[in-house]
Amino acid sequence: MSEQPSEGSSAGPFLGALAIIVAVVIGILLFNVFSSDEPTPDQQIARAVSAQNDALQRRDYAGFLEYTCAAQHGEETEVLSAQRDSVDKHGERVVDRVAGVAIDGDRATAQVTYYFDKDPDAEETVDVELAREAGSWKVCSTGPS
């Protein structure tokens, strides 16, 4: 009797695919272990600028206070009245981008580009001052109104 070649499949391709899958899973686990969920200081500053502006647009004084330096709080009626006047003249103010963040201890500046929805092509970039108060970045200067 003569031997006939085996017609079954080899385990090689299966083991190779399994090795690749295991390597990918280990890579994902290592990435998750060594990466931080905490946003960077630049991201925290951008978030504070955007959240403060959003609170103003919604006329949410409590939200405005949360993202504004204590020295800039102002009286609720004055802040909301000035916001209403600005919206009547220019429309809602939009934060287009936050760039050029420079941090010096608990103080920072950022170049913030705004526009108003009544004239979205008229962007204005201003230097905004921030301070870290009670562990969070707060906006300490006003943007265009």
Side-chain angles (χ1 to χ4, degrees):
M1 287 202 150
S2 67
E3 289 187 34
Q4 293 188 348
S6 170
E7 292 184 21
S9 61
S10 156
F14 173 75
L15 292 176
L18 181 61
I20 291 171
I21 291 170
V22 168
V24 168
V25 169
I26 289 172
I28 291 170
L29 289 173
L30 289 174
F31 178 78
N32 286 335
V33 166
F34 291 110
S35 67
S36 172
D37 288 338
E38 182 74 22
T40 67
D42 286 17
Q43 291 169 329
Q44 292 172 13
I45 286 170
R47 189 173 293 164
V49 169
S50 295
Q52 186 221 33
N53 187 70
D54 179 64
L56 274 175
Q57 301 321 302
R58 292 183 292 112
R59 285 127 183 117
D60 175 7
Y61 185 70
F64 169 78
L65 295 179
E66 185 177 345
Y67 295 100
T68 304
C69 290
Q72 297 291 319
H73 283 177
E75 293 294 321
E76 180 174 6
T77 55
E78 292 173 11
V79 170
L80 296 181
S81 177
Q83 176 60 25
R84 243 185 323 278
D85 291 346
S86 175
V87 170
D88 289 345
K89 288 180 193 170
H90 309 289
E92 299 284 332
R93 185 177 73 179
V94 177
V95 173
D96 187 48
R97 71 183 157 273
V98 179
V101 174
I103 300 171
D104 184 13
D106 284 341
R107 307 287 300 168
T109 57
Q111 295 175 332
V112 181
T113 302
Y114 297 95
Y115 66 86
F116 292 94
D117 66 357
K118 286 186 179 179
D119 189 5
D121 294 329
E123 292 184 340
E124 184 176 348
T125 301
V126 297
D127 288 335
V128 172
E129 296 176 12
L130 298 102
R132 193 177 0 238
E133 293 180 355
S136 298
W137 287 104
K138 314 282 183 174
V139 178
C140 299
S141 58
T142 59
S145 56

